[in-house]
Amino acid sequence: MARLQLLILDLDGTVRECTVDGQPCPNRPGEQRLIPGAAEAITDAMGNGMKVVAATNQGGIGLGYMTLTDFDAIASELQGLLLDAGVPRELDMVYCCPHSPRSGCACRKPEPGMLQDAMRRFLVARNEAVFVGDRDSDREAAEAAGIHFVDAAAWRARARATTYPYEIHEHDDEGQEDER
């Protein structure tokens, strides 16, 4: 069993939700709120010595709904929301794919580019990293990167019920992974 060193988080639907009806992601500051349980789960991970980063697709940049400057302001606001909710420090890094959904880039989930960049930056092995997300593309990105995946709702709920470290179970002979 490996001890987790790096928690990689999707943002939209995992850590935050958009406050604008019918809009999947915030395009401006003031359009986001934390999902209950996310701040507690991040605090637990940080309290157990983990680096915590975000990896988020922001196709609205590539589609012209917002700019990189807008995204930076939204990310800064998110850091403030987390600190206000009791998270002890800012996220260690926020990785953003700004490309449109059909761009074919290597960083847009379900491609593993952002996850691999995070593991390289923080010098962690695949069995020391976990990715938390809420969509099939998140699960697929984790699989492509060779790291453990945890569903966002289960992650938020588990933070309230138990403590870290998560146990990571290696793949069995058929490549199946325990769903913990």
Side-chain angles (χ1 to χ4, degrees):
M1 178 174 66
R3 179 154 168 73
L4 291 175
Q5 302 295 319
L6 178 64
L7 174 63
I8 307 171
L9 301 168
D10 169 56
L11 288 181
D12 299 304
T14 298
V15 174
R16 68 179 180 196
E17 57 192 2
C18 185
T19 59
V20 179
D21 287 336
Q23 185 174 301
C25 306
N27 291 330
R28 306 279 179 273
E31 296 181 354
Q32 64 185 331
R33 67 178 160 242
L34 297 178
I35 297 174
E40 295 87 350
I42 292 168
T43 297
D44 286 349
M46 288 179 174
N48 282 283
M50 294 176 73
K51 296 291 186 185
V52 181
V53 304
T56 180
N57 289 343
Q58 293 297 311
I61 297 169
L63 295 171
Y65 295 120
M66 66 176 161
T67 65
L68 280 171
T69 301
D70 295 329
F71 176 77
D72 287 343
I74 294 165
S76 179
E77 178 186 63
L78 176 65
Q79 297 277 29
L81 291 171
L82 290 167
L83 292 172
D84 290 347
V87 173
R89 67 174 196 273
E90 290 188 347
L91 300 178
D92 295 291
M93 179 67 67
V94 177
Y95 292 89
C96 169
C97 171
H99 306 109
S100 64
R102 292 178 180 72
S103 68
C105 68
C107 58
R108 185 173 180 82
K109 297 175 292 179
E111 297 300 322
M114 290 187 285
L115 284 61
Q116 292 168 333
D117 286 349
M119 289 185 293
R120 277 192 296 273
R121 179 181 182 94
F122 293 101
L123 304 173
V124 299
R126 290 183 307 215
N127 65 346
E128 298 172 326
V130 62
F131 183 48
V132 178
D134 66 317
R135 302 178 63 121
D136 288 342
S137 61
D138 297 326
R139 179 181 298 277
E140 292 165 11
E143 290 171 0
I147 66 174
H148 190 67
F149 177 81
V150 175
D151 176 74
W155 168 73
R156 292 187 302 265
R158 186 180 289 174
R160 295 182 200 168
T162 63
T163 59
Y164 278 75
Y166 282 109
E167 292 181 9
I168 298 299
H169 297 269
E170 301 299 324
H171 294 278
D172 66 19
D173 292 331
E174 296 176 7
Q176 298 297 312
E177 194 169 14
D178 186 4
E179 290 294 325
R180 288 176 91 94

